[in-house]
Amino acid sequence: MRKVNPMALVERARHNGYAVGAFNMHNPETTQALIHAAKNSNSPVFLQVGRAIVPHMGLEEAFRMTRRELENSDSEAVIHLDHGTYDEVFLALKLGFDSIMFDGSHLSFDDNVEATRHITAVAHSFGVPVEAELGKIPDAGTDVNWADYYTSVEEAEEFVAKTGVDLLAISVGVFHGIPPTQPLPLDIERIERIRDAVGIPLVLHGASGVPLDDLRAAIGAGVHKLNADTDLRHAFRRGIEQTWALGDRQLEEAMAEGLRLMTQATIQKMNEFGCAGMATPVNDMVMS
């Protein structure tokens, strides 16, 4: 298992004009799919312990499961806490997560700044980078007045200056999940203005369902970590449903087909994001 510097992955992406894929796991098989995809496409990857798996499995077990699956892998993989609460962040640091995201977007601006600044100081003392979110990212199907959701350029500049975060997730027209209708184009100009104001790599959550041209424009504008889950989860589900549609089958057979289709879907994302082929050779990394 490699010891990976999360910010080195993102800074390399920024330097070379692509985005690192960040994907969520839900069980051992979906974790294996992401690791297989990273190996087969020679891609760096963020393995995200997120808001679906934590209620299902618990933060500690989800982390241990991910580490177990990575034990015999030489993939350039980061174990990342996604949308962590205040308490989860400190547990994640204790457990040994490689990077964390604190989601204080539900707080007032001042409270978000205060909480994020404290978390960042503690995380940095552990050598762990911090991603934070400013603006609100709606769930697919939500009736959205985007003026209430977009990240403010001025607030982003102030937020980063006061908190010292390493990565900033922004709201520029993305949803969590796939919207039922054609999504509006991303606000690329806003991404560029935020990039110029904050000077750190930007993150887009909700990359599933976003047109490829928009994703590539976002990368060019300063987004170098792209989060996607729904498309991959649907691929896994499709493998299970197609297997069971053949008649009585063992659960293991259905799960194996789900794993295979999710691996394929993840490789496709890695190619689209530009990170396929961009992993650092194992001999150049420090082993742990």
Side-chain angles (χ1 to χ4, degrees):
M1 179 177 174
R2 297 187 182 193
K3 179 67 175 176
V4 178
N5 181 335
M7 289 308 299
L9 266 62
V10 179
E11 289 297 342
R12 193 165 75 237
R14 178 156 67 164
H15 179 75
N16 290 289
Y18 63 89
V20 182
F23 310 111
N24 291 70
M25 305 86 62
H26 303 275
N27 60 6
E29 287 79 10
T30 53
T31 309
Q32 292 162 18
L34 301 181
I35 296 170
H36 291 172
K39 178 180 180 180
N40 292 340
S41 65
N42 192 32
S43 298
V45 65
F46 278 73
L47 303 176
Q48 299 199 142
V49 175
R51 61 183 188 176
I53 196 172
V54 171
H56 167 65
M57 187 179 290
L59 182 63
E60 184 169 355
E61 179 52 33
F63 173 74
R64 297 193 190 287
M65 175 203 72
T66 307
R67 281 193 63 90
R68 284 195 301 270
E69 297 299 337
L70 273 174
E71 280 300 327
N72 297 317
S73 170
D74 61 3
S75 294
E76 193 174 18
V78 169
I79 305 179
H80 176 77
L81 175 66
D82 187 39
H83 289 285
T85 67
Y86 192 83
D87 290 338
E88 287 170 350
V89 162
F90 294 105
L91 176 56
L93 292 173
K94 180 180 178 181
L95 290 170
F97 274 71
D98 299 311
S99 66
I100 60 103
M101 180 213 176
F102 169 62
D103 185 355
S105 60
H106 59 289
L107 302 172
S108 69
F109 178 78
D110 289 340
D111 287 347
N112 194 0
V113 166
E114 182 179 356
T116 305
R117 178 168 50 201
H118 176 62
I119 285 168
T120 301
V122 175
H124 283 179
S125 74
F126 282 81
V128 174
V130 177
E131 175 186 337
E133 182 169 308
L134 194 62
K136 298 178 180 178
I137 301 175
D139 291 331
T142 304
D143 186 13
V144 175
N145 175 13
W146 281 109
D148 298 330
Y149 284 81
Y150 278 140
T151 302
S152 159
V153 177
E154 293 75 18
E155 286 188 349
E157 183 175 20
E158 181 181 356
F159 183 85
V160 170
K162 288 183 173 179
T163 62
V165 295
D166 305 281
L167 297 161
L168 185 66
I170 57 174
S171 176
V172 289
V174 290
F175 290 86
H176 283 300
I178 300 176
T181 58
Q182 182 68 23
L184 293 174
L186 298 182
D187 190 340
I188 301 301
E189 181 184 359
R190 185 178 297 267
I191 298 173
E192 293 172 338
R193 291 170 60 207
I194 294 172
R195 173 201 64 196
D196 294 342
V198 303
I200 63 173
L202 304 177
V203 182
L204 275 188
H205 292 216
S208 292
V210 177
L212 182 55
D213 286 346
D214 273 9
L215 290 180
R216 288 176 173 164
I219 292 169
V223 172
H224 298 294
K225 177 174 175 280
L226 281 170
N227 289 23
D229 173 51
T230 306
D231 284 341
L232 308 186
R233 181 162 36 85
H234 286 183
F236 188 80
R237 174 180 171 179
R238 188 165 59 252
I240 292 175
E241 291 177 341
Q242 289 176 356
T243 302
W244 279 339
L246 300 174
D248 185 32
R249 291 293 191 275
Q250 295 292 334
L251 174 62
E252 290 78 10
E253 183 182 350
M255 297 282 265
E257 182 62 7
L259 190 160
R260 187 182 73 83
L261 293 187
M262 183 172 171
T263 300
Q264 290 180 349
T266 307
I267 290 172
Q268 180 178 341
K269 292 290 185 193
M270 289 167 164
N271 279 290
E272 291 173 351
F273 297 173
C275 57
M278 302 304 293
T280 300
V282 66
N283 291 337
D284 294 343
M285 301 294 295
V286 176
M287 302 295 292
S288 67

